[in-house]
Amino acid sequence: WIGFGVAVDFHNAIGTEAIEARGATMAEYLKTRLARIPGVAVLTPMNRRLSASMVSFGIGGMTSGDIGGALMQRYSIATRGLHEGGYHGTRVSCAIHNTYEELDRLLEAVAEITRNRV
């Protein structure tokens, strides 16, 4: 409960609008760069108003387990697998505590995985 109170205080100090704007800006950064990697399909709409701070993507010929497993085992990057509704991919959250350096590390990992198609 103490942690919850601290989290609420942190959120209130920064403000909902600033938190939403940062997440959306980071997601836009990630989607734009993922779309440039051959073999990667960005599943989240590019329109900022339709995607918030979540980014879903797939890699041709790979299951959600293939992608998420490689990201976790090789790069210690945690994602959530997407395997509902015929999708095969993974989802990344761009949260207030994430950095652009972390997004760049993810992009490098995805590019390497895509080239090698684990």
Side-chain angles (χ1 to χ4, degrees), residues 44-67:
T44 302
M46 295 303 271
N47 184 326
R48 183 178 183 143
R49 290 181 288 149
L50 299 176
S51 67
S53 62
M54 302 291 220
V55 177
S56 298
F57 65 93
I59 298 174
M62 297 182 74
T63 67
S64 58
D66 294 336
I67 300 165

Side-chain angles (χ1 to χ4, degrees), residues 70-108:
L71 285 169
M72 179 53 83
Q73 291 168 7
R74 293 182 186 173
Y75 308 96
S76 298
I77 297 173
T79 60
R80 183 199 180 278
L82 298 175
H83 40 269
E84 299 91 2
Y87 289 103
H88 295 284
T90 194
R91 184 178 74 203
V92 177
S93 300
C94 300
I96 188 72
H97 59 270
N98 291 118
T99 65
Y100 284 95
E101 290 79 16
E102 290 171 325
L103 297 183
D104 289 338
R105 193 168 145 257
L106 171 64
L107 289 161
E108 290 172 15

